Amino acid sequence: MWTPGNSDNAERAEEKHPSQVTGPSPELTQAASLPRRSFLWGSGLLAAGAMLPAAGSTGGTSSSRPTGGMGAPVNLVVDGAAAGRLIPRDFTGLSFERGALNDGNAGVPGYFFSPENRELVTLFQNAAIRNVRVGAGTADQQIPPGTGPDGYTGVDKLFQFAAAANTSVSYGMRLYNPGAQPIPDLLSDDAAAARYIWQRYRAALSSFSIGNEPDWHSFHVGDPAIFETTPGTPGSAYQSYLEDWRRFAAAVQDAAPGATISGPDTGNYGTRGGVPYVTFTPDAATGISWTQKFTEDELASRRIKDATQHIYVGGSPLSTTAAQAIDNMLSREWVEDDEIGTQPAGTGSGVTSYAPYRWLDKRIISPTVAAGLPVRLSESNDYLTGVPGASDRFAAALWALDYMHWWATRGVSGVNFHNKQWIYTDTITPALGTYTPLAGSCGPSGCGGYRISPKGYAIKAFDLGARGQVKPITIAKPSEVNVTAYAVGDDRDLYVTVINKTHGAAATAARVNIEPRDFGWSEAAMLTLEAGEPGDPSSETATIGGESITNSAPWQGKWTPLSRDVRGQLAVSVLPTTAAIIRFHR
């Protein structure tokens, strides 16, 4: 997120882009007068997921909870022998502002990224956060590290933290240099920082990046080196941007020979006034995205690790309520629509638009991948700044898990959920903060008791179920049932992730039959991702494998063994607002 001239705190208010339901089950009808929580457990509709008893069987299940055997039939066929895209180890990531490297930033006593911050180290390890991107909008607002009174202390702490947390770093440098208050030695300052990092921390470095969201018109009116040849047409600034970026990239390469660079970290997309407003070159009507164009122009240099793109699917929430946001985040439209449109659930006053996955894939991601580079969604989330009661609740876990898997099948090399201190979309927050967009919300004694939001459980679930190559999977189900499924595997293990996004009046269990073809398995087990209040997408907490993710001890979640039914097949029940990972082992 970026607006020239804005402070780190003011930036969070930026608006980047204006931006068949089944009837109630018999159990719902009969239990209308029961207390809600008692009904959820007693009905059996909200069990986390269990073996379905075989036809005619009177045996028990693999779970002490109700099986939820009634529900919609979902049949999955997986091609276990196919060799698809390999999912990179560092696919799962978070994105942070450059300000997070500063001493005392956002109420934090000392340095947020530090090996001494054992709570944060433990959360990164437990949630399997494999990449941390630091830069974002404030990389183009604050002075380069090494030029202030604390020198490179924040950089040292970051990379020492990365070593302790077993994560890689995508490090962002400043490109924006306003004519009104220029940094005279910005190019050499960036080169010095690259040299410093490369000489000391290359083992933890994923890539450098230079500049943030340079495709915005506001970037072009402030920096004299980047200008629009057709005023008011952001795409016409591309050539001057590329020339300026190449000067900086050459300096970084000279200072850190062998280091890779990512770019262009573009972020201008969406709608304004009902017209697609995206920075394509030369213009939105006839051109191609800056991400694709950058890939085509830089591919031969062999210095680019991946192309980088930003996306907040729901755009600016405006007056969107928590209930509306939950409906949207778990909707088919976000996943399946291929044109930008207004939100599926009404949003009251104002017009809010969203950028569905297929639209972004069709217009930007797939053409970029076809041009020769994988794409990393280096800054991403559900809504810009988030919606309280939705972005920080269990609905975000189901959304994020589905989102990561969907993009992994399409050549995306990773997703970094933005974690600006402190807003509603954050994956990691201090306990004294309450997912508030106000700075300094950690309390008078500073931050502490760091915790992970439900979105962090999605990262863990993805890491556990996305080891190996993407496998083709076909799904047959009633059209009104909102269930998605993905398969990943290697020579020994095959993982199938099933996400049941049905909720509210549409909630229904899914009776899932899985057929792994050309993968002879000897044993199977299941891990469940569920809300702290099972079946409730607005739950503030979550569990995975029956356990919480804490900041003080290793995660202790367990896989539940599964058995074939009398037909030699595997069937499980995945209940509403729940996800399950089924692991087949040879």
Side-chain angles (χ1 to χ4, degrees):
M1 297 183 289
W2 182 87
T3 300
N6 280 4
S7 69
D8 183 30
N9 295 335
E11 181 198 358
R12 64 174 53 87
E14 175 201 359
E15 248 177 55
K16 288 210 293 193
H17 20 80
S19 282
Q20 210 148 15
V21 172
T22 58
S25 68
E27 291 88 348
L28 272 171
T29 304
Q30 295 167 7
S33 62
L34 292 177
R36 178 179 175 277
R37 189 172 178 83
S38 296
F39 161 62
L40 294 182
W41 284 108
S43 69
L45 283 177
L46 300 182
M51 281 293 299
L52 284 173
S57 171
T58 59
T61 72
S62 64
S63 170
S64 60
R65 293 178 180 173
T67 66
M70 294 182 62
V74 176
N75 297 308
L76 304 178
V77 177
V78 182
D79 185 349
R85 299 180 187 276
L86 179 67
I87 298 180
R89 179 190 176 279
D90 66 347
F91 187 99
T92 54
L94 295 183
S95 165
F96 288 83
E97 297 289 332
R98 153 71 176 85
L101 299 187
N102 296 338
D103 185 4
N105 187 69
V108 176
Y111 292 90
F112 180 68
F113 288 114
S114 169
E116 288 80 36
N117 190 345
R118 295 307 306 174
E119 292 180 350
L120 189 63
V121 169
T122 301
L123 286 174
F124 263 66
Q125 293 171 335
N126 285 346
I129 299 166
R130 308 294 189 188
N131 176 269
V132 56
R133 174 233 187 191
V134 175
T138 48
D140 277 326
Q141 297 170 4
Q142 299 186 9
I143 62 172
T147 63
D150 65 342
Y152 289 112
T153 302
V155 171
D156 291 329
K157 295 285 189 181
L158 168 66
F159 280 93
Q160 291 161 10
F161 167 85
N166 193 26
T167 189
S168 64
V169 176
S170 297
Y171 186 84
M173 298 177 173
R174 181 164 180 161
L175 177 66
Y176 179 72
N177 204 4
Q181 292 181 305
I183 299 176
D185 301 317
L186 179 58
L187 188 146
S188 59
D189 290 340
D190 279 359
R195 180 179 299 108
Y196 185 90
I197 292 170
W198 187 244
Q199 291 177 348
R200 292 163 177 80
Y201 306 117
R202 68 179 67 182
L205 180 69
S206 175
S207 65
F208 291 114
S209 63
I210 307 167
N212 183 73
E213 300 184 353
D215 50 334
W216 277 87
H217 170 74
S218 51
F219 203 113
H220 314 151
V221 298
D223 187 339
I226 302 174
F227 52 90
E228 296 169 4
T229 56
T230 303
T233 302
S236 68
Y238 174 78
Q239 194 58 45
S240 59
Y241 155 74
L242 182 64
E243 292 172 4
D244 194 42
W245 182 92
R246 281 176 165 170
R247 287 195 308 115
F248 279 76
V252 168
Q253 268 197 310
D254 288 344
T260 56
I261 307 174
S262 297
D265 277 296
T266 40
N268 188 9
Y269 60 88
T271 62
R272 281 188 181 175
V275 178
Y277 188 81
V278 290
T279 302
F280 284 3
T281 178
D283 59 62
T286 62
I288 63 175
S289 73
W290 275 34
T291 314
Q292 177 186 347
K293 180 64 173 168
F294 180 85
T295 295
E296 293 172 348
D297 290 339
E298 275 296 308
L299 186 65
S301 73
R302 299 185 180 275
R303 60 187 169 192
I304 307 300
K305 179 182 181 181
D306 42 25
T308 45
Q309 173 73 40
H310 301 174
I311 174 71
Y312 291 79
V313 183
S316 180
L318 299 181
S319 60
T320 304
T321 66
Q324 290 167 340
I326 288 173
D327 284 347
N328 291 332
M329 291 159 63
L330 301 182
S331 69
R332 289 182 184 80
E333 287 90 344
W334 274 27
V335 181
E336 298 174 1
D337 282 4
D338 59 8
E339 294 296 336
I340 285 177
T342 55
Q343 299 282 358
T347 55
S349 60
V351 177
T352 60
S353 60
Y354 70 107
Y357 313 165
R358 290 189 185 278
W359 177 86
L360 188 74
D361 187 44
K362 178 177 66 176
R363 300 299 304 276
I364 298 176
I365 306 302
S366 283
T368 301
V369 172
L373 284 179
V375 178
R376 188 172 189 100
L377 301 180
S378 56
E379 183 178 320
S380 192
N381 239 311
D382 44 75
Y383 282 94
L384 184 66
T385 74
V387 177
S391 301
D392 52 355
R393 303 301 174 91
F394 187 73
L398 295 183
W399 168 76
L401 180 58
D402 187 77
Y403 185 75
M404 288 184 285
H405 271 291
W406 197 93
W407 284 114
T409 67
R410 287 162 172 82
V412 164
S413 57
V415 174
N416 292 74
F417 296 109
H418 199 45
N419 203 108
K420 184 174 176 63
Q421 300 161 285
W422 307 107
I423 57 177
Y424 298 113
T425 51
D426 284 350
T427 301
I428 292 177
T429 66
L432 292 178
T434 53
Y435 303 110
T436 168
L438 301 177
S441 64
C442 297
S445 61
C447 296
Y450 290 99
R451 62 186 178 183
I452 200 157
S453 75
K455 195 172 291 172
Y457 287 77
I459 294 175
K460 181 70 171 180
F462 180 88
D463 182 76
L464 290 167
R467 300 180 178 184
Q469 296 174 305
V470 172
K471 304 291 185 179
I473 185 170
T474 58
I475 181 169
K477 63 180 181 63
S479 60
E480 70 273 11
V481 177
N482 192 5
V483 172
T484 55
Y486 305 91
V488 179
D490 55 26
D491 290 340
R492 294 186 58 81
D493 294 291
L494 177 66
Y495 300 87
V496 177
T497 297
V498 182
I499 307 167
N500 187 343
K501 291 186 282 185
T502 65
H503 61 287
T508 182
R511 305 195 316 273
V512 184
N513 298 281
I514 307 173
E515 181 184 352
R517 291 184 178 172
D518 298 318
F519 190 89
W521 56 279
S522 60
E523 57 187 67
M526 182 169 63
L527 195 75
T528 304
L529 170 65
E530 62 182 328
E533 284 191 282
D536 185 359
S538 66
S539 174
E540 293 186 77
T541 59
T543 61
I544 183 167
E547 296 291 334
S548 300
I549 295 175
T550 73
N551 65 11
S552 58
W555 171 71
Q556 298 292 335
K558 296 177 178 60
W559 292 83
T560 301
L562 300 175
S563 301
R564 303 173 192 261
D565 61 24
V566 295
R567 299 165 296 175
Q569 298 177 353
L570 189 71
V572 298
S573 178
V574 181
L575 301 181
T577 322
T578 301
I581 306 167
I582 299 91
R583 181 183 65 199
F584 298 89
H585 180 70
R586 288 191 191 271

